[in-house]
Amino acid sequence: MYKIELSSDDVPKKWYNINPDLPGELPPPMNSEGKNQIESLPQIFSKGVLEQEFAQERYITIPKKVRDLYMRMGRPSPLFRAKALEELLNTPAKIYYKREDMSPTGSHKLNSAIPQAYYAQKDGVERLTTETGAGQWGTALSLACSQMDIDCTVYMVKVSFDQKPFRKAIMEIYGGELYPSPSAHTEFGKKVLAETPDHPGSLGIAISEAIEDALANENVYYSLGSVLNHVMLHQTVIGQEVKTQLEIAEEEPDMLIGCVGGGSNFAGFSYPFIKDKLDGNSDCKFIAVEPSTCPTLTKGSYDYDFGDTEGLTPLLKMFSLGHDFVAPSVHAGGLRYHGMSPQISLLTKEGYIEPRSVHQNEVFKAGITFAKSEGVVPAPESTHAIKAVIDEAKKCKETGEEKTIVFNLSGHGLLDLTGYDKYIHNDLEVDGK
């Protein structure tokens, strides 16, 4: 069985909320000294997502309009067996991958963009602001806003803005208004540019600009593409579909692997399976793979930190490299964030998730190996997961174990060909340096 497809009726009717099942109480957001950022949350977030952020219900009903849009945008997505890759590696392991790259915007990000735009429209706002790294989130929110007839402003990390010009074109096709960050459009952006005119930007800076924009304008909300609990929640449609598909294949996964930047695709893919482990019903291993240039989980500190550079967000308890951290300009722009989802951070601290870091040249090599065998060009972010998959499949070859490895192909790389071209012609910087 090469491909396992589901019908539209199999699109999940509820999101899975891991909060009540976590192995310890999730530390709450905090204000910084002398400030009260928590008070500003209702000014920048819709009522719907704020309720979900702190919800304790295990399952939350997906609104009909959101579920209908999920189906219109391609859900449920197929699960593929990577038989050609297995044969190339001569491994006894069975490898499956979830095709989140097949959405109209080319990644998993629509799973949260659609409900966030939906709840914003319900509140009557006229525009959403957001940040984006490589551009997948900005693209998804631009499309979601067009479906809800509201405007969208995107602050895109400048180095990715320069590396990926066609992302800009797609966002503008969907009606998005785009600024390279740091920009001259906000006071904070002007401050950064005054100090460092050639600043490459960071997700932390882009978040600060998007929040400032939302706070300064009535009928404008801010939307975040990763990290926060409600974003993890929305993405769990992925893992719920995978569970159904593996049941059809009569498979029990031995390990689930995904890339991590802020945590959205990894959480959405793995949380329904982590629940089984938390309940004592699974021995599955969960591997989160990040760039060695932005080793949040592998080298960061587990402490309270801001989600943005300026300190406009509340303090979050998470693994962090520091809110002023600026990652080298690797091509996996979606993984260049200084912090990690508080939920994933807690699960990692408690030993339920194994973090790994890998180098840029290694992941492009893995991505090309996958493309030549399976025919799919993966996003640079997804190649991090593929590198770990190949490593684990090779271990199975050495031991003779027939493990079942499942990973999330979170996005395609068809707008990331500059990085591939540089790798093929031996012109790719070692980890962006």
PDB file of all heavy atoms in Angstrom, residues 226 257-267 270 287-291 294-298 332 334-337 339-341 344 348 353-357 381-382 384-385 410:
ATOM      1  N   SER A 226       2.777  29.944  15.325  1.00  0.00           N
ATOM      2  CA  SER A 226       3.349  28.801  16.029  1.00  0.00           C
ATOM      3  C   SER A 226       3.395  29.125  17.522  1.00  0.00           C
ATOM      4  O   SER A 226       2.821  30.128  17.963  1.00  0.00           O
ATOM      5  CB  SER A 226       4.754  28.494  15.487  1.00  0.00           C
ATOM      6  OG  SER A 226       5.206  27.248  15.949  1.00  0.00           O
ATOM      7  N   ILE A 257       8.652  11.453  13.837  1.00  0.00           N
ATOM      8  CA  ILE A 257       9.728  12.421  13.674  1.00  0.00           C
ATOM      9  C   ILE A 257       9.194  13.661  12.966  1.00  0.00           C
ATOM     10  O   ILE A 257       8.454  13.566  11.983  1.00  0.00           O
ATOM     11  CB  ILE A 257      10.892  11.811  12.860  1.00  0.00           C
ATOM     12  CG1 ILE A 257      11.467  10.580  13.583  1.00  0.00           C
ATOM     13  CG2 ILE A 257      11.986  12.838  12.615  1.00  0.00           C
ATOM     14  CD1 ILE A 257      12.531   9.837  12.809  1.00  0.00           C
ATOM     15  N   GLY A 258       9.578  14.824  13.472  1.00  0.00           N
ATOM     16  CA  GLY A 258       9.187  16.073  12.831  1.00  0.00           C
ATOM     17  C   GLY A 258      10.220  17.150  13.080  1.00  0.00           C
ATOM     18  O   GLY A 258      11.003  17.075  14.030  1.00  0.00           O
ATOM     19  N   CYS A 259      10.224  18.166  12.232  1.00  0.00           N
ATOM     20  CA  CYS A 259      11.104  19.310  12.459  1.00  0.00           C
ATOM     21  C   CYS A 259      10.449  20.237  13.480  1.00  0.00           C
ATOM     22  O   CYS A 259       9.229  20.222  13.665  1.00  0.00           O
ATOM     23  CB  CYS A 259      11.381  20.054  11.153  1.00  0.00           C
ATOM     24  SG  CYS A 259       9.920  20.748  10.347  1.00  0.00           S
ATOM     25  N   VAL A 260      11.277  21.037  14.170  1.00  0.00           N
ATOM     26  CA  VAL A 260      10.742  22.000  15.134  1.00  0.00           C
ATOM     27  C   VAL A 260      11.432  23.358  14.987  1.00  0.00           C
ATOM     28  O   VAL A 260      12.642  23.443  14.858  1.00  0.00           O
ATOM     29  CB  VAL A 260      10.905  21.529  16.604  1.00  0.00           C
ATOM     30  CG1 VAL A 260       9.880  20.474  16.952  1.00  0.00           C
ATOM     31  CG2 VAL A 260      12.305  21.050  16.893  1.00  0.00           C
ATOM     32  N   GLY A 261      10.605  24.399  14.987  1.00  0.00           N
ATOM     33  CA  GLY A 261      11.083  25.775  15.045  1.00  0.00           C
ATOM     34  C   GLY A 261      10.415  26.426  16.237  1.00  0.00           C
ATOM     35  O   GLY A 261      11.015  26.680  17.268  1.00  0.00           O
ATOM     36  N   GLY A 262       9.090  26.641  16.109  1.00  0.00           N
ATOM     37  CA  GLY A 262       8.271  27.067  17.240  1.00  0.00           C
ATOM     38  C   GLY A 262       7.442  25.919  17.777  1.00  0.00           C
ATOM     39  O   GLY A 262       6.984  25.942  18.908  1.00  0.00           O
ATOM     40  N   GLY A 263       7.216  24.898  16.899  1.00  0.00           N
ATOM     41  CA  GLY A 263       6.571  23.678  17.364  1.00  0.00           C
ATOM     42  C   GLY A 263       5.278  23.279  16.703  1.00  0.00           C
ATOM     43  O   GLY A 263       4.735  22.217  17.003  1.00  0.00           O
ATOM     44  N   SER A 264       4.739  24.072  15.766  1.00  0.00           N
ATOM     45  CA  SER A 264       3.365  23.829  15.315  1.00  0.00           C
ATOM     46  C   SER A 264       3.185  22.511  14.568  1.00  0.00           C
ATOM     47  O   SER A 264       2.273  21.739  14.871  1.00  0.00           O
ATOM     48  CB  SER A 264       2.874  24.993  14.449  1.00  0.00           C
ATOM     49  OG  SER A 264       3.598  25.110  13.249  1.00  0.00           O
ATOM     50  N   ASN A 265       4.033  22.224  13.572  1.00  0.00           N
ATOM     51  CA  ASN A 265       3.796  20.996  12.800  1.00  0.00           C
ATOM     52  C   ASN A 265       4.128  19.758  13.622  1.00  0.00           C
ATOM     53  O   ASN A 265       3.442  18.744  13.537  1.00  0.00           O
ATOM     54  CB  ASN A 265       4.565  21.028  11.472  1.00  0.00           C
ATOM     55  CG  ASN A 265       5.923  20.349  11.530  1.00  0.00           C
ATOM     56  OD1 ASN A 265       6.042  19.145  11.326  1.00  0.00           O
ATOM     57  ND2 ASN A 265       6.959  21.117  11.838  1.00  0.00           N
ATOM     58  N   PHE A 266       5.163  19.853  14.450  1.00  0.00           N
ATOM     59  CA  PHE A 266       5.532  18.709  15.279  1.00  0.00           C
ATOM     60  C   PHE A 266       4.429  18.394  16.287  1.00  0.00           C
ATOM     61  O   PHE A 266       4.051  17.238  16.482  1.00  0.00           O
ATOM     62  CB  PHE A 266       6.849  18.976  16.010  1.00  0.00           C
ATOM     63  CG  PHE A 266       7.299  17.820  16.856  1.00  0.00           C
ATOM     64  CD1 PHE A 266       7.999  16.762  16.291  1.00  0.00           C
ATOM     65  CD2 PHE A 266       7.005  17.768  18.203  1.00  0.00           C
ATOM     66  CE1 PHE A 266       8.398  15.681  17.061  1.00  0.00           C
ATOM     67  CE2 PHE A 266       7.400  16.697  18.985  1.00  0.00           C
ATOM     68  CZ  PHE A 266       8.101  15.649  18.408  1.00  0.00           C
ATOM     69  N   ALA A 267       3.890  19.430  16.914  1.00  0.00           N
ATOM     70  CA  ALA A 267       2.823  19.232  17.892  1.00  0.00           C
ATOM     71  C   ALA A 267       1.583  18.639  17.239  1.00  0.00           C
ATOM     72  O   ALA A 267       1.001  17.664  17.731  1.00  0.00           O
ATOM     73  CB  ALA A 267       2.482  20.557  18.564  1.00  0.00           C
ATOM     74  N   SER A 270       2.212  14.985  16.362  1.00  0.00           N
ATOM     75  CA  SER A 270       2.548  14.024  17.414  1.00  0.00           C
ATOM     76  C   SER A 270       1.597  13.977  18.603  1.00  0.00           C
ATOM     77  O   SER A 270       1.485  12.943  19.269  1.00  0.00           O
ATOM     78  CB  SER A 270       3.959  14.307  17.939  1.00  0.00           C
ATOM     79  OG  SER A 270       4.023  15.570  18.588  1.00  0.00           O
ATOM     80  N   ILE A 287      10.772  12.236  18.134  1.00  0.00           N
ATOM     81  CA  ILE A 287      12.038  12.912  17.855  1.00  0.00           C
ATOM     82  C   ILE A 287      11.760  14.262  17.197  1.00  0.00           C
ATOM     83  O   ILE A 287      11.121  14.331  16.137  1.00  0.00           O
ATOM     84  CB  ILE A 287      12.943  12.060  16.949  1.00  0.00           C
ATOM     85  CG1 ILE A 287      13.235  10.705  17.615  1.00  0.00           C
ATOM     86  CG2 ILE A 287      14.250  12.792  16.642  1.00  0.00           C
ATOM     87  CD1 ILE A 287      13.980   9.731  16.730  1.00  0.00           C
ATOM     88  N   ALA A 288      12.226  15.324  17.830  1.00  0.00           N
ATOM     89  CA  ALA A 288      12.054  16.690  17.325  1.00  0.00           C
ATOM     90  C   ALA A 288      13.402  17.193  16.820  1.00  0.00           C
ATOM     91  O   ALA A 288      14.378  17.232  17.571  1.00  0.00           O
ATOM     92  CB  ALA A 288      11.524  17.597  18.432  1.00  0.00           C
ATOM     93  N   VAL A 289      13.450  17.597  15.542  1.00  0.00           N
ATOM     94  CA  VAL A 289      14.726  17.920  14.902  1.00  0.00           C
ATOM     95  C   VAL A 289      14.785  19.412  14.570  1.00  0.00           C
ATOM     96  O   VAL A 289      13.887  19.948  13.922  1.00  0.00           O
ATOM     97  CB  VAL A 289      14.918  17.084  13.619  1.00  0.00           C
ATOM     98  CG1 VAL A 289      16.366  17.208  13.131  1.00  0.00           C
ATOM     99  CG2 VAL A 289      14.556  15.618  13.851  1.00  0.00           C
ATOM    100  N   GLU A 290      15.870  20.054  15.000  1.00  0.00           N
ATOM    101  CA  GLU A 290      16.035  21.493  14.805  1.00  0.00           C
ATOM    102  C   GLU A 290      17.396  21.783  14.164  1.00  0.00           C
ATOM    103  O   GLU A 290      18.294  20.922  14.147  1.00  0.00           O
ATOM    104  CB  GLU A 290      15.924  22.225  16.144  1.00  0.00           C
ATOM    105  CG  GLU A 290      16.981  21.811  17.166  1.00  0.00           C
ATOM    106  CD  GLU A 290      16.726  22.417  18.549  1.00  0.00           C
ATOM    107  OE1 GLU A 290      15.672  23.037  18.760  1.00  0.00           O
ATOM    108  OE2 GLU A 290      17.608  22.260  19.421  1.00  0.00           O
ATOM    109  N   PRO A 291      17.600  23.005  13.642  1.00  0.00           N
ATOM    110  CA  PRO A 291      18.897  23.353  13.055  1.00  0.00           C
ATOM    111  C   PRO A 291      19.954  23.530  14.139  1.00  0.00           C
ATOM    112  O   PRO A 291      19.659  24.045  15.222  1.00  0.00           O
ATOM    113  CB  PRO A 291      18.640  24.683  12.341  1.00  0.00           C
ATOM    114  CG  PRO A 291      17.180  24.937  12.422  1.00  0.00           C
ATOM    115  CD  PRO A 291      16.632  24.104  13.525  1.00  0.00           C
ATOM    116  N   CYS A 294      20.180  27.076  15.370  1.00  0.00           N
ATOM    117  CA  CYS A 294      19.141  27.614  16.246  1.00  0.00           C
ATOM    118  C   CYS A 294      18.685  26.493  17.182  1.00  0.00           C
ATOM    119  O   CYS A 294      17.537  26.049  17.131  1.00  0.00           O
ATOM    120  CB  CYS A 294      17.975  28.150  15.405  1.00  0.00           C
ATOM    121  SG  CYS A 294      16.840  29.206  16.332  1.00  0.00           S
ATOM    122  N   PRO A 295      19.584  26.038  18.057  1.00  0.00           N
ATOM    123  CA  PRO A 295      19.353  24.834  18.862  1.00  0.00           C
ATOM    124  C   PRO A 295      18.541  25.100  20.132  1.00  0.00           C
ATOM    125  O   PRO A 295      19.030  24.932  21.251  1.00  0.00           O
ATOM    126  CB  PRO A 295      20.773  24.379  19.181  1.00  0.00           C
ATOM    127  CG  PRO A 295      21.545  25.664  19.285  1.00  0.00           C
ATOM    128  CD  PRO A 295      20.926  26.601  18.272  1.00  0.00           C
ATOM    129  N   THR A 296      17.313  25.513  19.951  1.00  0.00           N
ATOM    130  CA  THR A 296      16.483  25.945  21.070  1.00  0.00           C
ATOM    131  C   THR A 296      16.296  24.846  22.113  1.00  0.00           C
ATOM    132  O   THR A 296      16.487  25.061  23.314  1.00  0.00           O
ATOM    133  CB  THR A 296      15.114  26.423  20.550  1.00  0.00           C
ATOM    134  OG1 THR A 296      15.319  27.358  19.493  1.00  0.00           O
ATOM    135  CG2 THR A 296      14.324  27.085  21.661  1.00  0.00           C
ATOM    136  N   LEU A 297      15.897  23.658  21.652  1.00  0.00           N
ATOM    137  CA  LEU A 297      15.642  22.559  22.584  1.00  0.00           C
ATOM    138  C   LEU A 297      16.915  21.896  23.080  1.00  0.00           C
ATOM    139  O   LEU A 297      16.974  21.418  24.213  1.00  0.00           O
ATOM    140  CB  LEU A 297      14.751  21.499  21.921  1.00  0.00           C
ATOM    141  CG  LEU A 297      13.264  21.832  21.776  1.00  0.00           C
ATOM    142  CD1 LEU A 297      12.552  20.733  20.992  1.00  0.00           C
ATOM    143  CD2 LEU A 297      12.601  22.028  23.134  1.00  0.00           C
ATOM    144  N   THR A 298      17.935  21.844  22.217  1.00  0.00           N
ATOM    145  CA  THR A 298      19.150  21.114  22.586  1.00  0.00           C
ATOM    146  C   THR A 298      20.137  21.949  23.385  1.00  0.00           C
ATOM    147  O   THR A 298      20.944  21.397  24.143  1.00  0.00           O
ATOM    148  CB  THR A 298      19.850  20.560  21.322  1.00  0.00           C
ATOM    149  OG1 THR A 298      20.004  21.609  20.364  1.00  0.00           O
ATOM    150  CG2 THR A 298      19.037  19.435  20.697  1.00  0.00           C
ATOM    151  N   ALA A 332      16.332  27.338   6.142  1.00  0.00           N
ATOM    152  CA  ALA A 332      15.133  26.849   6.829  1.00  0.00           C
ATOM    153  C   ALA A 332      14.585  27.969   7.710  1.00  0.00           C
ATOM    154  O   ALA A 332      14.634  27.913   8.936  1.00  0.00           O
ATOM    155  CB  ALA A 332      15.458  25.610   7.656  1.00  0.00           C
ATOM    156  N   GLY A 334      11.718  28.913   8.590  1.00  0.00           N
ATOM    157  CA  GLY A 334      10.665  28.612   9.535  1.00  0.00           C
ATOM    158  C   GLY A 334      11.155  28.029  10.842  1.00  0.00           C
ATOM    159  O   GLY A 334      10.381  27.887  11.786  1.00  0.00           O
ATOM    160  N   LEU A 335      12.445  27.674  10.925  1.00  0.00           N
ATOM    161  CA  LEU A 335      13.001  27.075  12.140  1.00  0.00           C
ATOM    162  C   LEU A 335      13.945  28.025  12.869  1.00  0.00           C
ATOM    163  O   LEU A 335      14.610  27.617  13.817  1.00  0.00           O
ATOM    164  CB  LEU A 335      13.743  25.769  11.801  1.00  0.00           C
ATOM    165  CG  LEU A 335      12.963  24.710  11.022  1.00  0.00           C
ATOM    166  CD1 LEU A 335      13.803  23.449  10.873  1.00  0.00           C
ATOM    167  CD2 LEU A 335      11.629  24.392  11.674  1.00  0.00           C
ATOM    168  N   ARG A 336      13.990  29.289  12.451  1.00  0.00           N
ATOM    169  CA  ARG A 336      14.936  30.237  13.051  1.00  0.00           C
ATOM    170  C   ARG A 336      14.292  31.058  14.155  1.00  0.00           C
ATOM    171  O   ARG A 336      14.385  32.276  14.170  1.00  0.00           O
ATOM    172  CB  ARG A 336      15.503  31.179  11.977  1.00  0.00           C
ATOM    173  CG  ARG A 336      16.408  30.520  10.953  1.00  0.00           C
ATOM    174  CD  ARG A 336      17.224  31.552  10.172  1.00  0.00           C
ATOM    175  NE  ARG A 336      16.419  32.563   9.548  1.00  0.00           N
ATOM    176  CZ  ARG A 336      16.223  32.685   8.244  1.00  0.00           C
ATOM    177  NH1 ARG A 336      16.780  31.828   7.414  1.00  0.00           N
ATOM    178  NH2 ARG A 336      15.470  33.645   7.765  1.00  0.00           N
ATOM    179  N   TYR A 337      13.634  30.424  15.090  1.00  0.00           N
ATOM    180  CA  TYR A 337      12.969  31.144  16.173  1.00  0.00           C
ATOM    181  C   TYR A 337      13.671  30.845  17.483  1.00  0.00           C
ATOM    182  O   TYR A 337      14.054  29.709  17.754  1.00  0.00           O
ATOM    183  CB  TYR A 337      11.493  30.731  16.247  1.00  0.00           C
ATOM    184  CG  TYR A 337      10.708  31.481  17.303  1.00  0.00           C
ATOM    185  CD1 TYR A 337      10.602  32.870  17.259  1.00  0.00           C
ATOM    186  CD2 TYR A 337      10.097  30.801  18.341  1.00  0.00           C
ATOM    187  CE1 TYR A 337       9.892  33.565  18.227  1.00  0.00           C
ATOM    188  CE2 TYR A 337       9.368  31.485  19.311  1.00  0.00           C
ATOM    189  CZ  TYR A 337       9.267  32.863  19.257  1.00  0.00           C
ATOM    190  OH  TYR A 337       8.581  33.543  20.218  1.00  0.00           O
ATOM    191  N   GLY A 339      12.577  30.748  20.585  1.00  0.00           N
ATOM    192  CA  GLY A 339      11.864  30.033  21.632  1.00  0.00           C
ATOM    193  C   GLY A 339      11.126  28.822  21.111  1.00  0.00           C
ATOM    194  O   GLY A 339      11.087  28.555  19.909  1.00  0.00           O
ATOM    195  N   MET A 340      10.526  28.079  22.034  1.00  0.00           N
ATOM    196  CA  MET A 340       9.797  26.868  21.679  1.00  0.00           C
ATOM    197  C   MET A 340       8.449  26.859  22.401  1.00  0.00           C
ATOM    198  O   MET A 340       8.328  27.411  23.502  1.00  0.00           O
ATOM    199  CB  MET A 340      10.605  25.628  22.082  1.00  0.00           C
ATOM    200  CG  MET A 340      10.006  24.300  21.640  1.00  0.00           C
ATOM    201  SD  MET A 340       9.785  24.139  19.855  1.00  0.00           S
ATOM    202  CE  MET A 340      11.476  24.281  19.268  1.00  0.00           C
ATOM    203  N   SER A 341       7.476  26.256  21.787  1.00  0.00           N
ATOM    204  CA  SER A 341       6.162  26.109  22.412  1.00  0.00           C
ATOM    205  C   SER A 341       6.283  25.692  23.874  1.00  0.00           C
ATOM    206  O   SER A 341       7.002  24.743  24.195  1.00  0.00           O
ATOM    207  CB  SER A 341       5.355  25.041  21.649  1.00  0.00           C
ATOM    208  OG  SER A 341       4.370  24.455  22.463  1.00  0.00           O
ATOM    209  N   ILE A 344       5.525  21.945  24.224  1.00  0.00           N
ATOM    210  CA  ILE A 344       6.613  21.080  23.755  1.00  0.00           C
ATOM    211  C   ILE A 344       7.807  21.185  24.695  1.00  0.00           C
ATOM    212  O   ILE A 344       8.493  20.189  24.971  1.00  0.00           O
ATOM    213  CB  ILE A 344       6.997  21.447  22.305  1.00  0.00           C
ATOM    214  CG1 ILE A 344       5.898  20.964  21.353  1.00  0.00           C
ATOM    215  CG2 ILE A 344       8.349  20.834  21.915  1.00  0.00           C
ATOM    216  CD1 ILE A 344       6.161  21.266  19.907  1.00  0.00           C
ATOM    217  N   THR A 348       9.416  18.013  26.560  1.00  0.00           N
ATOM    218  CA  THR A 348      10.837  17.711  26.364  1.00  0.00           C
ATOM    219  C   THR A 348      11.542  17.635  27.710  1.00  0.00           C
ATOM    220  O   THR A 348      12.330  16.710  27.958  1.00  0.00           O
ATOM    221  CB  THR A 348      11.492  18.783  25.474  1.00  0.00           C
ATOM    222  OG1 THR A 348      10.823  18.829  24.211  1.00  0.00           O
ATOM    223  CG2 THR A 348      12.969  18.470  25.250  1.00  0.00           C
ATOM    224  N   ILE A 353       9.839  13.846  24.706  1.00  0.00           N
ATOM    225  CA  ILE A 353      10.316  14.209  23.375  1.00  0.00           C
ATOM    226  C   ILE A 353      11.832  14.235  23.390  1.00  0.00           C
ATOM    227  O   ILE A 353      12.443  14.792  24.304  1.00  0.00           O
ATOM    228  CB  ILE A 353       9.769  15.590  22.954  1.00  0.00           C
ATOM    229  CG1 ILE A 353       8.247  15.548  22.793  1.00  0.00           C
ATOM    230  CG2 ILE A 353      10.425  16.065  21.652  1.00  0.00           C
ATOM    231  CD1 ILE A 353       7.611  16.920  22.596  1.00  0.00           C
ATOM    232  N   GLU A 354      12.442  13.607  22.386  1.00  0.00           N
ATOM    233  CA  GLU A 354      13.902  13.616  22.247  1.00  0.00           C
ATOM    234  C   GLU A 354      14.302  14.667  21.208  1.00  0.00           C
ATOM    235  O   GLU A 354      13.967  14.537  20.026  1.00  0.00           O
ATOM    236  CB  GLU A 354      14.406  12.253  21.782  1.00  0.00           C
ATOM    237  CG  GLU A 354      15.911  12.214  21.543  1.00  0.00           C
ATOM    238  CD  GLU A 354      16.383  10.933  20.880  1.00  0.00           C
ATOM    239  OE1 GLU A 354      15.802   9.868  21.176  1.00  0.00           O
ATOM    240  OE2 GLU A 354      17.318  11.005  20.056  1.00  0.00           O
ATOM    241  N   PRO A 355      15.000  15.729  21.620  1.00  0.00           N
ATOM    242  CA  PRO A 355      15.420  16.750  20.653  1.00  0.00           C
ATOM    243  C   PRO A 355      16.758  16.399  20.006  1.00  0.00           C
ATOM    244  O   PRO A 355      17.636  15.807  20.644  1.00  0.00           O
ATOM    245  CB  PRO A 355      15.551  18.000  21.514  1.00  0.00           C
ATOM    246  CG  PRO A 355      15.949  17.490  22.862  1.00  0.00           C
ATOM    247  CD  PRO A 355      15.318  16.128  23.008  1.00  0.00           C
ATOM    248  N   ARG A 356      16.902  16.765  18.741  1.00  0.00           N
ATOM    249  CA  ARG A 356      18.172  16.610  18.021  1.00  0.00           C
ATOM    250  C   ARG A 356      18.413  17.858  17.189  1.00  0.00           C
ATOM    251  O   ARG A 356      17.468  18.522  16.743  1.00  0.00           O
ATOM    252  CB  ARG A 356      18.132  15.392  17.082  1.00  0.00           C
ATOM    253  CG  ARG A 356      18.002  14.057  17.778  1.00  0.00           C
ATOM    254  CD  ARG A 356      18.085  12.916  16.786  1.00  0.00           C
ATOM    255  NE  ARG A 356      17.791  11.638  17.413  1.00  0.00           N
ATOM    256  CZ  ARG A 356      17.708  10.488  16.766  1.00  0.00           C
ATOM    257  NH1 ARG A 356      17.909  10.471  15.450  1.00  0.00           N
ATOM    258  NH2 ARG A 356      17.423   9.367  17.406  1.00  0.00           N
ATOM    259  N   SER A 357      19.696  18.143  16.939  1.00  0.00           N
ATOM    260  CA  SER A 357      20.032  19.245  16.044  1.00  0.00           C
ATOM    261  C   SER A 357      20.897  18.705  14.908  1.00  0.00           C
ATOM    262  O   SER A 357      21.704  17.787  15.106  1.00  0.00           O
ATOM    263  CB  SER A 357      20.758  20.363  16.796  1.00  0.00           C
ATOM    264  OG  SER A 357      22.033  19.936  17.232  1.00  0.00           O
ATOM    265  N   GLU A 381      12.772  23.084   5.892  1.00  0.00           N
ATOM    266  CA  GLU A 381      12.374  22.723   7.256  1.00  0.00           C
ATOM    267  C   GLU A 381      12.148  21.216   7.364  1.00  0.00           C
ATOM    268  O   GLU A 381      12.640  20.556   8.278  1.00  0.00           O
ATOM    269  CB  GLU A 381      11.089  23.484   7.648  1.00  0.00           C
ATOM    270  CG  GLU A 381      11.271  24.979   7.834  1.00  0.00           C
ATOM    271  CD  GLU A 381      11.293  25.763   6.531  1.00  0.00           C
ATOM    272  OE1 GLU A 381      11.038  25.157   5.454  1.00  0.00           O
ATOM    273  OE2 GLU A 381      11.580  26.970   6.565  1.00  0.00           O
ATOM    274  N   SER A 382      11.395  20.665   6.422  1.00  0.00           N
ATOM    275  CA  SER A 382      11.066  19.231   6.460  1.00  0.00           C
ATOM    276  C   SER A 382      12.281  18.341   6.284  1.00  0.00           C
ATOM    277  O   SER A 382      12.291  17.193   6.743  1.00  0.00           O
ATOM    278  CB  SER A 382      10.027  18.911   5.380  1.00  0.00           C
ATOM    279  OG  SER A 382       8.821  19.607   5.601  1.00  0.00           O
ATOM    280  N   HIS A 384      14.961  18.500   7.753  1.00  0.00           N
ATOM    281  CA  HIS A 384      15.523  18.196   9.072  1.00  0.00           C
ATOM    282  C   HIS A 384      14.938  16.890   9.595  1.00  0.00           C
ATOM    283  O   HIS A 384      15.652  16.041  10.137  1.00  0.00           O
ATOM    284  CB  HIS A 384      15.243  19.335  10.050  1.00  0.00           C
ATOM    285  CG  HIS A 384      16.034  20.578   9.756  1.00  0.00           C
ATOM    286  ND1 HIS A 384      15.821  21.341   8.627  1.00  0.00           N
ATOM    287  CD2 HIS A 384      17.031  21.201  10.454  1.00  0.00           C
ATOM    288  CE1 HIS A 384      16.661  22.368   8.626  1.00  0.00           C
ATOM    289  NE2 HIS A 384      17.398  22.298   9.720  1.00  0.00           N
ATOM    290  N   ALA A 385      13.627  16.729   9.424  1.00  0.00           N
ATOM    291  CA  ALA A 385      12.987  15.479   9.824  1.00  0.00           C
ATOM    292  C   ALA A 385      13.500  14.316   8.979  1.00  0.00           C
ATOM    293  O   ALA A 385      13.767  13.220   9.493  1.00  0.00           O
ATOM    294  CB  ALA A 385      11.469  15.600   9.699  1.00  0.00           C
ATOM    295  N   SER A 410       6.090  18.558   6.263  1.00  0.00           N
ATOM    296  CA  SER A 410       5.297  19.737   6.621  1.00  0.00           C
ATOM    297  C   SER A 410       5.151  20.751   5.504  1.00  0.00           C
ATOM    298  O   SER A 410       4.293  21.626   5.570  1.00  0.00           O
ATOM    299  CB  SER A 410       5.904  20.417   7.851  1.00  0.00           C
ATOM    300  OG  SER A 410       7.240  20.817   7.584  1.00  0.00           O
TER     301      SER A 410
END
